[in-house]
Amino acid sequence: MKDTDRYRRFGGLAVALLFGTFFSLFTVVPGSFGETAKPALSNQERLHLGEQMYREGLLPSGEPMRAYVKGDLPVPGTAFTCVSCHLRSGLGSVEGGVFTPPTNGDKLFQPFQLLFKGLEQKYFPLPPRRPAYNDETLAEVIRSGATPTGKALNDVMPRYLLDDGDMALLIYYLKELSAHYSPGVTTTALHFATVITDEVSPEDRNAMLAPLELYISIKNNQAKAYKTQGNRSRQMAENMLVSKELATRNLTLSRWVLKGPPDTWRKQLEDYNRKEPVFALLGGISYGDWKPIHDFSEQNHIPCLFPMTNLPVISETDWYTLYPSKGYYQEGETAARYLHAGGALPKGASVVQIVRDSPEGRALAAGFRQTWLDSGHPAPKTVTLKAGQAINGNVLRQAVTKKKPRVIMVWDGGEAVPALQAFAASGSRPALLFVSARYLGKNLWTLPDQIRPFTYITYPYTFSLNVTYSSMGSATLQDDQQKTLSQANILIKNKAQEMASLGDTLTQILTMALMDLKGNYYRDNLLDVIGMIADQPSSVFGRLSFGPGQRYASKGCNIVKLTKGLTPELVKQSDWVIH
């Protein structure tokens, strides 16, 4: 996400926080805020209701919280939620020159020290910016904006009108928010794990593991060196890492190998987590559906960063797994967006999907269907190829003859390529044929010459990556300007190389995230800080983008055609189709 986009996200609301320390008050409601205000509620219920107020701006009654900005301008609490600026962890942020202070339990109830770029200045004994809050002063600042020092927060900061009972619930939640380090954190180490399912080949397993284990080995060797007496590099490292303790903190990586059928994985994961709790899952690889591992992460609140899967869970609301891309689903989305944006199809034109009944085929078809429907088109017709059913010319000719589609999607693997020749001899071929480069694999280069002029290919990888590095090692992203690509010039030659490249990208992201945590080792904070990382280069996808709540880093896909001849090239038919 670009800085300008981030600034717009925070908008004028965030500007107010430059001068404030936390919430503000508009109208004072007298009364106490004791934790017995809702005696009938369990602690778990109080947490849930407080979380609902913090994240969604909804009162326990289900009504929006009442709020005001700029003195007397009423706004709905659902549009001015606490989480939108203070983030899910409550640790706040520094973004685009805008500072949003922390609101978590560990920070609110102790003096707030002078900060510079979000960092406490421990070596200059200046008075604290504000004293520690108690229940009464915190309620006061939430309602009126009056701080314990008698100052007023900027009037763009919402003032929330809460009665005593609702205020007690919100304060109860804030006291528990990021109040204790997450599991997997000790005074000297951060513990991670990576999940591997047992059908993965040794080559792919090693390709995924190698960058991670090398990174951790280097980090731990540095930490060991810094601990030696008289090490002159330690002070420089501590200053560069921002959080001094990170210089000498060790990292560990456990291998959680899952065996047997997927319906047994959940128990294995729970057993691993019980024996050796981890701060987060890094990478990981499976050839199958990632959903069992996704659900485990979601329900145990364990971040899972960059699992190597083309079958991620597609969700707009789940929080804890950050995928490199939407995989096959994203290619289906791209085909639909390209067709819709082109506008070449007559209204109501028939579209047929011929779908292999496999995880890959189903994901491609689901991505196309949902995006096609969302664009206002009627549902495509679907012909399903059962497992083991051979696709041949008769299947394709029947689909054309019976349904007379203008467009056909063939979501099948390389075994479909010989059958596609049937379209070359057919007098009633579709106007456009779509296939998936990732599903076809190397068979992509053997598509029959006669069908190449009307065959469109979803190609999710970059054509070229032009990255320059400054003297400090930061990458400069440039747009992919290359229009054609031959098989010989593809950067990523096989699946193992793709795994290794994504693993390198993961270690870059992890390096930045650990520094940005600033010693605040809370799982939600890890995902919060990754959401503020600038776009990163990737030799697989070209550009990876992050943002608050975004869970798929690659945002696009190419539509290409294959030229005729024995040494064909892929030729772009679109810009990077953005999702």
Side-chain angles (χ1 to χ4, degrees), residues 422-443:
F423 286 132
S426 173
S428 57
R429 68 167 175 82
L432 303 96
L433 169 66
F434 280 79
V435 295
S436 160
R438 180 154 31 192
Y439 205 2
L440 292 179
K442 292 181 179 178
N443 293 286

PDB file of all heavy atoms in Angstrom, residues 422-443:
ATOM      1  N   ALA A 422      -9.752 -30.609 -30.890  1.00  0.00           N
ATOM      2  CA  ALA A 422     -11.087 -30.752 -31.487  1.00  0.00           C
ATOM      3  C   ALA A 422     -11.668 -29.412 -31.892  1.00  0.00           C
ATOM      4  O   ALA A 422     -12.441 -29.322 -32.855  1.00  0.00           O
ATOM      5  CB  ALA A 422     -12.020 -31.446 -30.488  1.00  0.00           C
ATOM      6  N   PHE A 423     -11.317 -28.360 -31.158  1.00  0.00           N
ATOM      7  CA  PHE A 423     -11.839 -27.043 -31.499  1.00  0.00           C
ATOM      8  C   PHE A 423     -11.294 -26.557 -32.840  1.00  0.00           C
ATOM      9  O   PHE A 423     -11.939 -25.782 -33.536  1.00  0.00           O
ATOM     10  CB  PHE A 423     -11.495 -26.025 -30.412  1.00  0.00           C
ATOM     11  CG  PHE A 423     -12.309 -26.170 -29.166  1.00  0.00           C
ATOM     12  CD1 PHE A 423     -11.701 -26.175 -27.918  1.00  0.00           C
ATOM     13  CD2 PHE A 423     -13.693 -26.279 -29.229  1.00  0.00           C
ATOM     14  CE1 PHE A 423     -12.455 -26.298 -26.764  1.00  0.00           C
ATOM     15  CE2 PHE A 423     -14.457 -26.410 -28.083  1.00  0.00           C
ATOM     16  CZ  PHE A 423     -13.838 -26.426 -26.842  1.00  0.00           C
ATOM     17  N   ALA A 424     -10.093 -27.017 -33.169  1.00  0.00           N
ATOM     18  CA  ALA A 424      -9.490 -26.557 -34.430  1.00  0.00           C
ATOM     19  C   ALA A 424     -10.280 -27.073 -35.614  1.00  0.00           C
ATOM     20  O   ALA A 424     -10.403 -26.388 -36.647  1.00  0.00           O
ATOM     21  CB  ALA A 424      -8.044 -27.036 -34.513  1.00  0.00           C
ATOM     22  N   ALA A 425     -10.842 -28.286 -35.496  1.00  0.00           N
ATOM     23  CA  ALA A 425     -11.569 -28.885 -36.604  1.00  0.00           C
ATOM     24  C   ALA A 425     -13.050 -28.574 -36.568  1.00  0.00           C
ATOM     25  O   ALA A 425     -13.784 -28.915 -37.487  1.00  0.00           O
ATOM     26  CB  ALA A 425     -11.353 -30.396 -36.585  1.00  0.00           C
ATOM     27  N   SER A 426     -13.485 -27.952 -35.507  1.00  0.00           N
ATOM     28  CA  SER A 426     -14.919 -27.708 -35.365  1.00  0.00           C
ATOM     29  C   SER A 426     -15.334 -26.435 -36.075  1.00  0.00           C
ATOM     30  O   SER A 426     -14.669 -25.408 -35.965  1.00  0.00           O
ATOM     31  CB  SER A 426     -15.271 -27.598 -33.874  1.00  0.00           C
ATOM     32  OG  SER A 426     -16.618 -27.194 -33.738  1.00  0.00           O
ATOM     33  N   GLY A 427     -16.425 -26.525 -36.776  1.00  0.00           N
ATOM     34  CA  GLY A 427     -16.925 -25.339 -37.454  1.00  0.00           C
ATOM     35  C   GLY A 427     -17.696 -24.433 -36.534  1.00  0.00           C
ATOM     36  O   GLY A 427     -18.075 -23.326 -36.922  1.00  0.00           O
ATOM     37  N   SER A 428     -17.956 -24.885 -35.332  1.00  0.00           N
ATOM     38  CA  SER A 428     -18.729 -24.077 -34.402  1.00  0.00           C
ATOM     39  C   SER A 428     -17.969 -23.871 -33.103  1.00  0.00           C
ATOM     40  O   SER A 428     -18.515 -24.005 -32.035  1.00  0.00           O
ATOM     41  CB  SER A 428     -20.070 -24.744 -34.103  1.00  0.00           C
ATOM     42  OG  SER A 428     -19.847 -26.056 -33.596  1.00  0.00           O
ATOM     43  N   ARG A 429     -16.719 -23.589 -33.223  1.00  0.00           N
ATOM     44  CA  ARG A 429     -15.893 -23.376 -32.037  1.00  0.00           C
ATOM     45  C   ARG A 429     -16.334 -22.107 -31.317  1.00  0.00           C
ATOM     46  O   ARG A 429     -16.950 -21.208 -31.900  1.00  0.00           O
ATOM     47  CB  ARG A 429     -14.423 -23.262 -32.438  1.00  0.00           C
ATOM     48  CG  ARG A 429     -14.095 -21.995 -33.244  1.00  0.00           C
ATOM     49  CD  ARG A 429     -12.600 -21.815 -33.321  1.00  0.00           C
ATOM     50  NE  ARG A 429     -12.230 -20.698 -34.156  1.00  0.00           N
ATOM     51  CZ  ARG A 429     -12.220 -19.427 -33.751  1.00  0.00           C
ATOM     52  NH1 ARG A 429     -12.654 -19.134 -32.524  1.00  0.00           N
ATOM     53  NH2 ARG A 429     -11.845 -18.463 -34.571  1.00  0.00           N
ATOM     54  N   PRO A 430     -16.023 -22.000 -30.027  1.00  0.00           N
ATOM     55  CA  PRO A 430     -16.347 -20.763 -29.303  1.00  0.00           C
ATOM     56  C   PRO A 430     -15.481 -19.615 -29.797  1.00  0.00           C
ATOM     57  O   PRO A 430     -14.408 -19.823 -30.377  1.00  0.00           O
ATOM     58  CB  PRO A 430     -16.016 -21.119 -27.857  1.00  0.00           C
ATOM     59  CG  PRO A 430     -14.956 -22.167 -27.968  1.00  0.00           C
ATOM     60  CD  PRO A 430     -15.313 -22.970 -29.173  1.00  0.00           C
ATOM     61  N   ALA A 431     -15.959 -18.413 -29.546  1.00  0.00           N
ATOM     62  CA  ALA A 431     -15.170 -17.241 -29.921  1.00  0.00           C
ATOM     63  C   ALA A 431     -13.916 -17.125 -29.078  1.00  0.00           C
ATOM     64  O   ALA A 431     -12.872 -16.688 -29.552  1.00  0.00           O
ATOM     65  CB  ALA A 431     -16.025 -15.985 -29.786  1.00  0.00           C
ATOM     66  N   LEU A 432     -14.031 -17.509 -27.824  1.00  0.00           N
ATOM     67  CA  LEU A 432     -12.891 -17.426 -26.911  1.00  0.00           C
ATOM     68  C   LEU A 432     -12.819 -18.695 -26.075  1.00  0.00           C
ATOM     69  O   LEU A 432     -13.838 -19.204 -25.611  1.00  0.00           O
ATOM     70  CB  LEU A 432     -13.000 -16.217 -25.970  1.00  0.00           C
ATOM     71  CG  LEU A 432     -13.126 -14.831 -26.589  1.00  0.00           C
ATOM     72  CD1 LEU A 432     -14.593 -14.419 -26.673  1.00  0.00           C
ATOM     73  CD2 LEU A 432     -12.356 -13.809 -25.769  1.00  0.00           C
ATOM     74  N   LEU A 433     -11.592 -19.160 -25.888  1.00  0.00           N
ATOM     75  CA  LEU A 433     -11.332 -20.328 -25.046  1.00  0.00           C
ATOM     76  C   LEU A 433     -10.363 -19.897 -23.938  1.00  0.00           C
ATOM     77  O   LEU A 433      -9.352 -19.241 -24.228  1.00  0.00           O
ATOM     78  CB  LEU A 433     -10.704 -21.445 -25.878  1.00  0.00           C
ATOM     79  CG  LEU A 433     -10.130 -22.652 -25.122  1.00  0.00           C
ATOM     80  CD1 LEU A 433     -11.235 -23.432 -24.416  1.00  0.00           C
ATOM     81  CD2 LEU A 433      -9.363 -23.558 -26.091  1.00  0.00           C
ATOM     82  N   PHE A 434     -10.675 -20.243 -22.689  1.00  0.00           N
ATOM     83  CA  PHE A 434      -9.802 -19.882 -21.563  1.00  0.00           C
ATOM     84  C   PHE A 434      -9.257 -21.152 -20.916  1.00  0.00           C
ATOM     85  O   PHE A 434      -9.981 -22.128 -20.718  1.00  0.00           O
ATOM     86  CB  PHE A 434     -10.572 -19.069 -20.510  1.00  0.00           C
ATOM     87  CG  PHE A 434     -10.727 -17.614 -20.866  1.00  0.00           C
ATOM     88  CD1 PHE A 434     -11.698 -17.213 -21.770  1.00  0.00           C
ATOM     89  CD2 PHE A 434      -9.893 -16.656 -20.312  1.00  0.00           C
ATOM     90  CE1 PHE A 434     -11.847 -15.874 -22.100  1.00  0.00           C
ATOM     91  CE2 PHE A 434     -10.030 -15.309 -20.643  1.00  0.00           C
ATOM     92  CZ  PHE A 434     -11.007 -14.915 -21.539  1.00  0.00           C
ATOM     93  N   VAL A 435      -7.966 -21.101 -20.569  1.00  0.00           N
ATOM     94  CA  VAL A 435      -7.319 -22.187 -19.835  1.00  0.00           C
ATOM     95  C   VAL A 435      -6.422 -21.573 -18.762  1.00  0.00           C
ATOM     96  O   VAL A 435      -6.126 -20.376 -18.793  1.00  0.00           O
ATOM     97  CB  VAL A 435      -6.486 -23.102 -20.756  1.00  0.00           C
ATOM     98  CG1 VAL A 435      -7.371 -23.843 -21.747  1.00  0.00           C
ATOM     99  CG2 VAL A 435      -5.424 -22.293 -21.495  1.00  0.00           C
ATOM    100  N   SER A 436      -5.975 -22.415 -17.838  1.00  0.00           N
ATOM    101  CA  SER A 436      -5.121 -21.957 -16.744  1.00  0.00           C
ATOM    102  C   SER A 436      -3.690 -22.401 -16.972  1.00  0.00           C
ATOM    103  O   SER A 436      -3.411 -23.596 -17.118  1.00  0.00           O
ATOM    104  CB  SER A 436      -5.621 -22.544 -15.415  1.00  0.00           C
ATOM    105  OG  SER A 436      -4.595 -22.522 -14.432  1.00  0.00           O
ATOM    106  N   ALA A 437      -2.758 -21.437 -16.957  1.00  0.00           N
ATOM    107  CA  ALA A 437      -1.345 -21.773 -17.135  1.00  0.00           C
ATOM    108  C   ALA A 437      -0.835 -22.635 -15.985  1.00  0.00           C
ATOM    109  O   ALA A 437      -0.083 -23.581 -16.186  1.00  0.00           O
ATOM    110  CB  ALA A 437      -0.520 -20.492 -17.229  1.00  0.00           C
ATOM    111  N   ARG A 438      -1.258 -22.303 -14.765  1.00  0.00           N
ATOM    112  CA  ARG A 438      -0.747 -23.043 -13.612  1.00  0.00           C
ATOM    113  C   ARG A 438      -1.246 -24.484 -13.640  1.00  0.00           C
ATOM    114  O   ARG A 438      -0.511 -25.413 -13.321  1.00  0.00           O
ATOM    115  CB  ARG A 438      -1.184 -22.350 -12.330  1.00  0.00           C
ATOM    116  CG  ARG A 438      -0.715 -23.037 -11.084  1.00  0.00           C
ATOM    117  CD  ARG A 438      -0.564 -22.151  -9.873  1.00  0.00           C
ATOM    118  NE  ARG A 438      -1.481 -21.036  -9.809  1.00  0.00           N
ATOM    119  CZ  ARG A 438      -1.353 -20.027  -8.946  1.00  0.00           C
ATOM    120  NH1 ARG A 438      -0.342 -20.010  -8.106  1.00  0.00           N
ATOM    121  NH2 ARG A 438      -2.229 -19.042  -8.917  1.00  0.00           N
ATOM    122  N   TYR A 439      -2.501 -24.695 -14.042  1.00  0.00           N
ATOM    123  CA  TYR A 439      -3.050 -26.049 -14.072  1.00  0.00           C
ATOM    124  C   TYR A 439      -2.460 -26.861 -15.233  1.00  0.00           C
ATOM    125  O   TYR A 439      -2.191 -28.055 -15.088  1.00  0.00           O
ATOM    126  CB  TYR A 439      -4.568 -25.978 -14.196  1.00  0.00           C
ATOM    127  CG  TYR A 439      -5.305 -27.195 -13.664  1.00  0.00           C
ATOM    128  CD1 TYR A 439      -4.648 -28.255 -13.068  1.00  0.00           C
ATOM    129  CD2 TYR A 439      -6.700 -27.257 -13.758  1.00  0.00           C
ATOM    130  CE1 TYR A 439      -5.337 -29.356 -12.579  1.00  0.00           C
ATOM    131  CE2 TYR A 439      -7.402 -28.358 -13.279  1.00  0.00           C
ATOM    132  CZ  TYR A 439      -6.708 -29.395 -12.686  1.00  0.00           C
ATOM    133  OH  TYR A 439      -7.393 -30.488 -12.211  1.00  0.00           O
ATOM    134  N   LEU A 440      -2.227 -26.209 -16.370  1.00  0.00           N
ATOM    135  CA  LEU A 440      -1.638 -26.924 -17.507  1.00  0.00           C
ATOM    136  C   LEU A 440      -0.169 -27.250 -17.273  1.00  0.00           C
ATOM    137  O   LEU A 440       0.354 -28.228 -17.793  1.00  0.00           O
ATOM    138  CB  LEU A 440      -1.772 -26.090 -18.779  1.00  0.00           C
ATOM    139  CG  LEU A 440      -3.178 -25.886 -19.342  1.00  0.00           C
ATOM    140  CD1 LEU A 440      -3.125 -25.026 -20.593  1.00  0.00           C
ATOM    141  CD2 LEU A 440      -3.852 -27.220 -19.647  1.00  0.00           C
ATOM    142  N   GLY A 441       0.518 -26.416 -16.503  1.00  0.00           N
ATOM    143  CA  GLY A 441       1.943 -26.637 -16.273  1.00  0.00           C
ATOM    144  C   GLY A 441       2.734 -26.501 -17.558  1.00  0.00           C
ATOM    145  O   GLY A 441       2.435 -25.663 -18.419  1.00  0.00           O
ATOM    146  N   LYS A 442       3.747 -27.342 -17.726  1.00  0.00           N
ATOM    147  CA  LYS A 442       4.594 -27.268 -18.918  1.00  0.00           C
ATOM    148  C   LYS A 442       3.832 -27.598 -20.199  1.00  0.00           C
ATOM    149  O   LYS A 442       4.283 -27.270 -21.297  1.00  0.00           O
ATOM    150  CB  LYS A 442       5.787 -28.210 -18.756  1.00  0.00           C
ATOM    151  CG  LYS A 442       6.759 -27.773 -17.670  1.00  0.00           C
ATOM    152  CD  LYS A 442       7.943 -28.718 -17.563  1.00  0.00           C
ATOM    153  CE  LYS A 442       8.915 -28.247 -16.473  1.00  0.00           C
ATOM    154  NZ  LYS A 442      10.063 -29.171 -16.317  1.00  0.00           N
ATOM    155  N   ASN A 443       2.694 -28.285 -20.077  1.00  0.00           N
ATOM    156  CA  ASN A 443       1.879 -28.591 -21.266  1.00  0.00           C
ATOM    157  C   ASN A 443       1.334 -27.325 -21.917  1.00  0.00           C
ATOM    158  O   ASN A 443       0.852 -27.369 -23.051  1.00  0.00           O
ATOM    159  CB  ASN A 443       0.718 -29.504 -20.876  1.00  0.00           C
ATOM    160  CG  ASN A 443       1.201 -30.866 -20.439  1.00  0.00           C
ATOM    161  OD1 ASN A 443       1.618 -31.678 -21.244  1.00  0.00           O
ATOM    162  ND2 ASN A 443       1.159 -31.116 -19.140  1.00  0.00           N
TER     163      ASN A 443
END
